[in-house]
Amino acid sequence: MKDRTIPLRPRSAPQNPESLALAALGWALQCEDRAQRYLELTGLDPDSLRAGLGDPLILASALEFLANHEPDLIRAAEALAVTPEELVAAKDALTA
């Protein structure tokens, strides 16, 4: 008999990368300090961010921002009920 592993949480259908990126961006912008750091690092301003919400590269920038700071990546994943790997995979899908 083979050993069977039980997943920690049920496997759900993969989320749409754009939707996941928008959710992650919303999470990142909830904290004023984190939002300011995101805008400074990306060179975006609020108007260009709003105008670019349909642009996969703008959406990927939010996931890249989180991926570059592991504590935020982990907190965002927990808040969004996904794994950090799912956030990184969404970033990769948006930049492919």
Side-chain angles (χ1 to χ4, degrees):
M1 187 165 133
K2 287 185 175 181
D3 288 336
R4 294 185 182 170
T5 58
I6 299 171
L8 295 177
R9 66 181 178 92
R11 196 174 256 317
S12 59
Q15 290 196 18
N16 176 304
E18 290 86 0
S19 298
L20 191 52
L22 282 170
L25 177 61
W27 180 87
L29 296 178
Q30 287 178 357
C31 169
E32 189 174 331
D33 290 339
R34 191 172 42 241
Q36 188 60 39
R37 189 169 35 113
Y38 169 73
L39 293 175
E40 288 173 4
L41 288 172
T42 61
L44 295 168
D45 60 44
D47 291 332
S48 60
L49 177 58
R50 258 190 298 291
L53 289 178
D55 182 340
L57 293 178
I58 297 291
L59 295 175
S61 73
L63 296 167
E64 181 76 28
F65 170 76
L66 294 173
N68 286 326
H69 187 67
E70 188 173 8
D72 281 347
L73 178 66
I74 292 168
R75 281 190 222 110
E78 289 173 353
L80 300 173
V82 297
T83 65
E85 293 82 8
E86 288 173 292
L87 292 173
V88 172
K91 173 192 67 74
D92 293 343
L94 290 168
T95 57

